[in-house]
Amino acid sequence: MGRLRTNSGPAEDLLIELDRDAGVPLHRQIEASIRAGIRAGRLRSGASLPPTRTLAAGLGVSRGVVVEAYQQLVAEGYLVSRSGGYTQVAAPMPPAATAADGAGSAASMAQPAARSVGFRVDFGYGRTDVSQFPRSAWLRSVRTVLTTTPNDRFAYLDGRGVPELHEALCDYLNRVRGTSSVPDNMVICNGYGQGISLLIQVLVQHGARRIALEDPSSNDDARVLAGAAGLEVVGIPVGPDGVQVDALHRADADAIVLTPSHQWPTGGVLSAAARAEVIRWAKRRGAIVVEDDYDAEYRYDRSPVGAMQGLAPDHVVYCGTASKTLAPGLRLGWLVVPPHLVADVAEAKVLADRGSPVIDQLTFADFLARGEFDRHLRRMRPVYRRRRDALLDALRTHLPDLEPGGVAAGQHVVAWLPPDLDEAAVVAAAARHGLGIHGVGPYRIAGTGPGGLIFGYAILGESAIAEGVALLATAIREVRGP
Ligand SMILES: Cc1ncc(COP(=O)(O)O)c(C=O)c1O
């Protein structure tokens, strides 16, 4: 019964199963089904039912049968007749409805890193300022797509996505990120999260047994997926300049996942020499480098570093996402895949979900082609830069013995703790003072290393950032004791 509309025009459809052999009159069966739906909360107060003629046609009964059922339910107070001739659910929502519709739990699961409930200030990472989503420009692109795209383009497509988006993204990535991509090597996916899942499946198909991951690195995507796919995970320590390549040589791995332009979470940038060495390693072993370029668009005070993919398109899979630039809820990501893997990645994508939503892809293609993406980024960079500056100012003022790292780019900063401070104790004390913040520790693979705190600043105003750092200073004073 999921397709009823609330407080709008009449619905078209309503799931009712009729048993013509039951010996129960059909209008009674319809009544009973709608009554049960209302009692269980599946049909909520205000929901519009289909017009009698529509429902009768759908059920293969005469209209009089449906009229009789509706009239009975109106008489019982379950339904009301509205002007305009349609019928709505009248009963107030029974208590069972809240549990049945599950809306609360869905909302609380929407963003694992966002734990703003209960904190005065939350430095949770992984959040983009979605209040800045370029709604009008996006709407123009949606309108263009819906008014100009021929109907047949809305049918199923192959696993790689729509050609317009391949072309628009190739132009953008080759121009701005220095990739060496061609439209035929692109696969559109639902964010990096799906991209890495498809890639791990394909690597396993191609015989991979061991995968190297940065240590520390995110613990809710590649690490979990690789383990589930039966790959052995080996952590490669990360220093101030990104992953330590000498450890990679000893790792006997078939692939490595890297965040070279802004290491997550430490913020280091992989040096030019280390990039070249990783590429040499990949070529020598026939290994694959997965380049997660998740927030490369935000650079503040350092010169741009091009994508590794441009150095070795046959060995590097480039992964991009709109989650940091537009909105994570778009679920739009893209892969530039070495030619020998494209067909398998596209096949994995078809198996996963038969392709990403076409209208969103066409919209993003139009948005890119109009230059709106560049315009949006130009507008957002100073906004995030001011927030980053506010964070660094506040840290200098209140906590000068914390050492910020990875400040030149992205949407988060790490501040390393002096040796006398225990990371977990600081995080716990911060929470007691109303401050949400993550430590680096949970993202380590080998489990050792200096304590550090991850400051996601992207959605916080400058005064909230200053307040958050002041709360942290109070918490740290408490940890240090008198
Ligand atoms: C390291 C890293 N890569 C990529 C992403 C983006 O993931 P997605 O594109 O699935 O939203 C995130 C999200 O926070 C991340 O932390």
Side-chain angles (χ1 to χ4, degrees):
M1 300 207 185
R3 278 191 271 167
L4 286 189
R5 276 178 261 166
T6 310
N7 300 328
S8 60
E12 291 293 318
D13 214 350
L14 178 61
L15 175 66
I16 293 176
E17 288 179 17
L18 295 179
D19 182 352
R20 288 180 162 79
D21 300 325
V24 178
L26 294 176
H27 69 91
R28 292 259 179 258
Q29 293 190 36
I30 295 170
E31 270 169 50
S33 175
I34 295 174
R35 200 183 290 111
I38 294 170
R39 284 185 178 151
R42 288 192 301 276
L43 298 177
R44 290 184 294 165
S45 177
S48 298
L49 269 63
T52 50
R53 201 182 302 278
T54 310
L55 184 58
L59 294 174
V61 300
S62 73
R63 180 165 169 246
V65 168
V66 176
V67 170
E68 201 173 338
Y70 278 15
Q71 280 174 350
Q72 178 60 32
L73 291 168
V74 168
E76 290 176 18
Y78 283 98
L79 300 179
V80 281
S81 293
R82 292 280 174 221
S83 59
Y86 60 89
T87 308
Q88 285 183 326
V89 175
M93 198 191 295
T98 316
D101 77 13
S105 58
S108 64
M109 282 168 58
Q111 212 175 31
R115 307 151 303 142
S116 42
V117 182
F119 291 122
R120 267 169 71 182
V121 178
D122 191 352
F123 282 123
Y125 61 86
R127 295 175 300 170
T128 291
D129 193 346
V130 289
S131 73
Q132 302 289 327
F133 186 82
R135 286 175 187 250
S136 324
W138 192 261
L139 186 60
R140 275 196 296 281
S141 292
V142 172
R143 193 171 284 127
T144 303
V145 166
L146 290 181
T147 49
T148 62
T149 310
N151 293 337
D152 59 358
R153 298 295 313 285
F154 294 165
Y156 287 116
L157 35 79
D158 74 56
R160 292 199 310 107
V162 306
E164 289 90 335
L165 185 53
H166 300 152
E167 279 166 28
L169 275 170
C170 270
D171 288 349
Y172 171 77
L173 294 172
N174 291 346
R175 171 170 58 85
V176 172
R177 298 297 303 126
T179 54
S180 171
S181 44
V182 290
D184 283 352
N185 288 9
M186 303 227 41
V187 179
I188 307 303
C189 52
N190 298 339
Y192 170 77
Q194 185 181 45
I196 187 65
S197 169
L198 303 176
L199 292 169
I200 283 173
Q201 287 172 46
V202 170
L203 288 170
V204 170
Q205 274 167 28
H206 283 248
R209 304 166 76 93
R210 270 189 129 199
I211 190 162
L213 304 180
E214 295 167 319
D215 183 7
S217 57
S218 55
N219 60 7
D220 60 357
D221 42 50
R223 206 180 309 177
V224 184
L225 291 161
L231 287 174
E232 197 183 331
V233 169
V234 48
I236 310 293
V238 165
D241 295 330
V243 76
Q244 289 172 1
V245 187
D246 51 343
L248 178 60
H249 285 299
R250 297 190 295 272
D252 191 26
D254 304 297
I256 182 166
V257 181
L258 292 177
T259 48
S261 63
H262 193 230
Q263 203 276 329
W264 200 92
T266 66
V269 181
L270 196 62
S271 68
R275 282 162 195 254
E277 189 56 31
V278 171
I279 299 285
R280 268 197 294 279
W281 166 85
K283 286 184 174 166
R284 203 163 44 238
R285 288 185 66 86
I288 289 293
V289 178
V290 177
E291 177 177 27
D292 174 8
D293 204 34
Y294 69 108
D295 67 1
E297 282 84 359
Y298 296 117
R299 276 184 329 273
Y300 309 115
D301 29 33
R302 63 151 218 250
S303 49
V305 181
M308 289 178 73
Q309 190 273 352
L311 303 173
D314 291 343
H315 290 273
V316 180
V317 184
Y318 176 93
C319 310
T321 176
S323 291
K324 307 289 169 181
T325 47
L326 289 168
L330 272 179
R331 305 312 303 135
L332 263 173
W334 45 94
L335 307 173
V336 186
V337 183
H340 70 286
L341 297 178
V342 175
D344 289 342
V345 175
E347 195 180 317
K349 171 68 179 162
V350 171
L351 278 174
D353 59 14
R354 295 194 167 87
S356 288
V358 172
I359 295 172
D360 293 348
Q361 293 185 63
L362 289 169
T363 301
F364 188 35
D366 183 79
F367 188 83
L368 276 161
R370 283 172 193 260
E372 294 292 358
F373 194 55
D374 295 73
R375 245 188 303 285
H376 177 64
L377 290 172
R378 263 202 310 279
R379 192 168 69 77
M380 290 311 296
R381 270 187 208 108
V383 173
Y384 290 132
R385 185 192 175 123
R386 279 197 297 277
R387 292 175 185 173
R388 193 262 334 231
D389 289 347
L391 174 63
L392 295 179
D393 281 351
L395 285 172
R396 259 192 304 276
T397 306
H398 295 288
L399 291 164
D401 58 346
L402 267 59
E403 192 190 325
V407 305
Q411 298 182 322
H412 78 274
V413 156
V414 165
W416 298 108
L417 294 168
D420 70 305
L421 284 173
D422 176 68
E423 180 188 293
V426 171
V427 169
R432 284 196 298 279
H433 286 271
L435 178 72
I437 195 155
H438 290 268
V440 172
Y443 304 98
R444 294 194 183 281
I445 296 176
T448 53
L453 302 174
I454 304 168
F455 294 80
Y457 56 79
I459 67 164
L460 297 176
E462 283 134 71
S463 58
I465 290 170
E467 184 190 351
V469 173
L471 288 171
L472 180 62
T474 307
I476 285 181
R477 272 196 299 279
E478 182 185 289
V479 171
R480 284 192 161 126

